[in-house]
Amino acid sequence: MVFVWSINFIVAKHALREFPSLLLGTLRFTLAGLMLVPYYVWERRRHRVPLWETGGLVKLLAVGLVGVGANQLCFLLGLARTSVSHAAILFALTPMTVLLLSSAAGHERITRSKVAGILLAIAGVGLLQLRGQDQRGATLSGDLFILMAMLTFALFTVGGKSLRKDFDGVTINSFAYGGSALVLSPVTLWAAHRFDFSTVSAGAWAALFYMALFPSIIAYLIYYHALRYLGATRLSTLAYLQPVIATAFAVTLLGETITPSLMSGGALILAGVFAAERS
């Protein structure tokens, strides 16, 4: 799961060389919805249950539109403007952001040690930006889009906690991707009308299908399956490998460089998130 999500940064960078970021984002969750919704229908019919219940339908669609529609668009708009290393490290702030949102909702209690961890992570983000010009392809606007993508995913995580009481992971993801594809279909059609698809290579199409299938569907199915056997805390710990794996691939395959500011800023962010989560 972590490997699939890590390599997605590299695959998306490749696809962005030929697809506009807005079109790539809408095509990604549209294809994911086309693949996931039939599986959802088959699962519901196999268990002989209605395709949907009216209760919670609006919340399912709203959470999905934020966690998939807005998330995917911000992620690709950001990745088109920043480096893989910056994007992967900034996404490591997700657990800490979930903690803050849960605290605002009254589900978590903020302690002094958690505040210290949060401040440490914020200092790491600041260090990345102060010396951001050292990292090839990293820009402030791109990092801001990535932070927005991280925030929408955190909102999806917190909102999904209440939905998990009544809906399984396949249902949540099916409505998230299918609903986002339906609501944002005018954007997809507008962007597609302005784009010449004949210029897209087979490699870019393969990258798009990878993004729609593996990180969007298969990785989530692995995640929900793993939750049956691993605690949420232990499972979330594995996410700390994602910036390391993604950066290693970025250096090897994309020629990105590891700078002192990247190492120090990334170390502060990971240490801060780890301290905030464990305290």
Side-chain angles (χ1 to χ4, degrees):
M1 176 194 72
V2 174
F3 176 82
V4 166
W5 276 335
S6 299
I7 199 69
N8 184 56
F9 287 90
I10 311 302
V11 173
K13 269 291 191 182
H14 176 73
L16 284 167
R17 294 172 180 171
E18 301 186 38
F19 282 103
S21 52
L22 180 63
L23 179 60
L24 183 63
T26 58
L27 286 178
R28 175 184 178 177
F29 54 70
T30 298
L31 287 175
L34 289 174
M35 290 185 281
L36 191 55
V37 169
Y39 176 71
Y40 161 78
V41 173
W42 176 79
E43 277 281 295
R44 304 287 285 190
R45 288 182 174 175
R46 185 168 68 91
H47 292 98
R48 298 182 179 180
V49 294
L51 289 180
W52 60 76
E53 297 85 6
T54 54
L57 183 61
V58 173
K59 189 174 182 179
L60 268 173
L61 292 173
V63 170
L65 190 60
V66 171
V68 170
N71 170 263
Q72 296 301 317
L73 294 181
C74 288
F75 170 72
L76 290 170
L77 286 168
L79 196 59
R81 295 166 173 81
T82 195
S83 66
V84 167
S85 304
H86 272 219
I89 289 173
L90 291 174
F91 252 97
L93 292 168
T94 301
M96 187 188 71
T97 307
V98 170
L99 170 65
L100 291 173
L101 292 174
S102 296
S103 175
H107 301 149
E108 297 274 355
R109 187 171 63 90
I110 297 294
T111 63
R112 290 182 180 179
S113 54
K114 288 180 179 179
V115 171
I118 291 169
L119 293 176
L120 194 63
I122 292 174
V125 174
L127 185 57
L128 280 180
Q129 298 311 316
L130 287 174
R131 300 291 302 280
Q133 65 272 19
D134 292 346
Q135 180 68 20
R136 187 173 68 180
T139 66
L140 177 59
S141 62
D143 286 357
L144 288 175
F145 272 116
I146 293 296
L147 285 172
M148 290 172 62
M150 181 275 298
L151 176 60
T152 54
F153 186 77
L155 288 168
F156 178 68
T157 302
V158 174
K161 285 184 178 180
S162 59
L163 292 176
R164 285 287 291 165
K165 299 176 183 177
D166 303 310
F167 302 100
D168 58 85
V170 173
T171 300
I172 294 173
N173 279 6
S174 296
F175 276 88
Y177 284 98
S180 295
L182 184 62
V183 171
L184 295 175
S185 57
V187 178
T188 307
L189 293 174
W190 174 81
H193 177 71
R194 297 162 51 92
F195 183 67
D196 183 7
F197 285 92
S198 64
T199 62
V200 180
S201 66
W205 281 115
L208 171 60
F209 278 99
Y210 174 92
M211 294 168 62
L213 177 60
F214 288 93
S216 304
I217 299 177
I218 292 178
Y220 276 103
L221 294 178
I222 295 173
Y223 177 79
Y224 289 122
H225 177 76
L227 277 177
R228 297 180 183 179
Y229 304 98
L230 296 174
T233 300
R234 185 177 179 184
L235 187 58
S236 66
T237 303
L238 295 174
Y240 293 112
L241 293 172
Q242 184 170 305
V244 179
I245 297 173
T247 300
F249 276 117
V251 171
T252 305
L253 301 176
L254 301 179
E256 292 189 6
T257 56
I258 299 179
T259 63
S261 61
L262 178 68
M263 293 182 64
S264 54
L268 282 178
I269 290 173
L270 292 177
V273 173
F274 184 83
E277 270 204 303
R278 295 299 176 270
S279 58

